[in-house]
Amino acid sequence: MPKAAVIGAGLIGRSWAVVFARAGWSVAITDTDPAALEWAPVLMSESMALLAEFGLCDDPAAALARIALVPSLEKAVVGADLVQECGPEQLAAKQALFQALDAAAPSKALLASSSSAIVASLYTADLPGRDRCLVAHPVNPPHLVPIVELCAAPWVPAKTVERARRLYEQAGQVPVTVKREVEGFVVNRLQGALLTEGLRLVGEGIISPQDLDKTLADGLGLRWALIGPFATIELNAPGGIPDYCARFGGFYRRLAAEPPAPSVWDAENVAQVEAAWGPPPAPKEALRRSAARDRRIAALVAAKRSH
């Protein structure tokens, strides 16, 4: 089985460690913050228990035993086939991390970033091993949401991306290839389009933020949890996608001609949304809601697998 090195023991890093260990891989995880590393076993154990409860992990104790806490990046990458960087979403931090990883990791290792929006060419261009670096962007939390966006700089060979696809598939994830670099990749560009329209609709008083969330959770999201938007519209018109576009293209053209303005993200509009939504939850309540969300996602993943 492969070995994964996870650099960063925060929320995403812990989740990646669970993904790889559940798949039978050996895992080394490290963090520059001793407190994060100290808490990681407890939090990863909770994640494994949730997976086991819904039949998504056969032996959580054995999986946890495959995860080693190590004190440094250099020790973590020893013998690694895949290095998953989970550092801050800051260009300078990623530049420093990838310089250290390229110097320390074995030549066979792929170097993958969990970057949410920053393309790899911005922090790997000057590395001797730049042709083995790419983005492997997950959705939080990756041990429950399996999609992984693979996006490489123009100089990275196709065989490198294909090798990454095979490794993430072997780990039980669902990799997709973003064919050229674009800020935010695909997940966050789609999410951004939806959020921007949502901020407009709520800011203009067309709908409350609570009811807008319901239109997704109890409407579009139910279909999209099973099939994507193109598969959805194919089934919504007798002649498939071309028929749907012919029937409804006029409306969507008018909508596209008047997109939300960037100002929907300005403080004034955000304040209107916040006032309608209510104050943010206290830390304990936020943790409770996150745990409840994770249980629902686990149940949904289990239901999808059973069908």
Side-chain angles (χ1 to χ4, degrees):
M1 280 291 183
K3 176 187 174 181
V6 178
I7 311 303
L11 181 63
I12 298 298
R14 295 192 305 267
S15 186
W16 270 125
V18 168
V19 166
F20 299 131
R22 175 182 56 180
W25 298 25
S26 60
V27 182
I29 184 170
T30 191
D31 200 292
T32 56
D33 180 2
L37 207 56
E38 180 182 357
W39 274 103
V42 174
L43 298 170
M44 290 187 295
S45 178
E46 292 175 354
S47 297
M48 288 288 193
L50 177 63
L51 291 172
E53 180 182 348
F54 287 92
L56 303 175
C57 180
D58 295 332
D59 192 341
L64 284 169
R66 288 189 283 269
I67 302 174
L69 307 180
V70 296
S72 69
L73 175 152
E74 290 76 14
K75 290 186 181 297
V77 301
V78 172
D81 299 284
L82 174 65
V83 179
Q84 190 76 41
E85 174 268 320
C86 304
E89 187 73 3
Q90 299 166 0
L91 180 56
K94 294 197 179 297
Q95 288 171 333
L97 277 169
F98 270 80
Q99 287 175 1
L101 290 172
D102 192 39
S107 59
K108 67 173 182 175
L110 291 180
L111 307 182
S113 175
S114 298
S115 171
S116 295
I118 307 172
V119 297
S121 61
L122 294 178
Y123 47 91
T124 66
D126 298 326
L127 299 180
R130 67 180 192 169
D131 60 348
R132 61 171 173 160
C133 302
L134 75 164
V135 166
H137 171 232
V139 172
N140 179 34
H143 68 280
L144 292 173
V145 184
I147 199 73
V148 186
E149 294 184 287
L150 303 180
C151 184
W155 53 74
V156 175
K159 65 181 181 181
T160 299
V161 180
E162 285 305 310
R163 182 184 167 208
R165 282 186 75 113
R166 291 193 299 270
L167 282 170
Y168 286 105
E169 286 172 350
Q170 186 177 350
Q173 301 302 92
V174 179
V176 297
T177 300
V178 180
K179 296 182 179 181
R180 64 180 177 85
E181 289 192 319
V182 59
E183 184 181 16
F185 316 115
V186 173
V187 166
N188 280 324
R189 292 179 78 90
L190 289 172
Q191 181 169 243
L194 185 59
L195 283 171
T196 301
E197 181 64 31
L199 285 168
R200 169 165 72 172
L201 293 170
V202 173
E204 292 181 357
I206 293 170
I207 193 170
S208 72
Q210 293 82 2
D211 279 355
L212 187 136
D213 270 20
K214 290 174 185 176
T215 64
L216 269 293
D218 298 306
L220 292 173
L222 290 177
R223 292 188 303 205
W224 289 351
L226 301 172
I227 57 175
F230 287 130
T232 294
I233 66 171
E234 181 179 52
L235 299 178
N236 281 356
I241 293 174
D243 187 15
Y244 184 94
C245 292
R247 289 169 183 259
F248 302 106
F251 158 68
Y252 286 114
R253 282 177 178 273
R254 292 190 296 275
L255 184 63
E258 297 181 2
S263 59
V264 300
W265 291 93
D266 289 352
E268 181 180 356
N269 192 64
V270 172
Q272 288 183 265
V273 175
E274 181 184 17
W277 179 263
K284 286 186 177 180
E285 174 61 14
L287 288 174
R288 186 195 68 78
R289 293 185 192 179
S290 294
R293 174 205 64 192
D294 289 354
R295 289 185 62 81
R296 291 177 179 179
I297 295 174
L300 178 60
V301 172
K304 287 184 69 172
R305 289 192 181 183
S306 69
H307 289 80

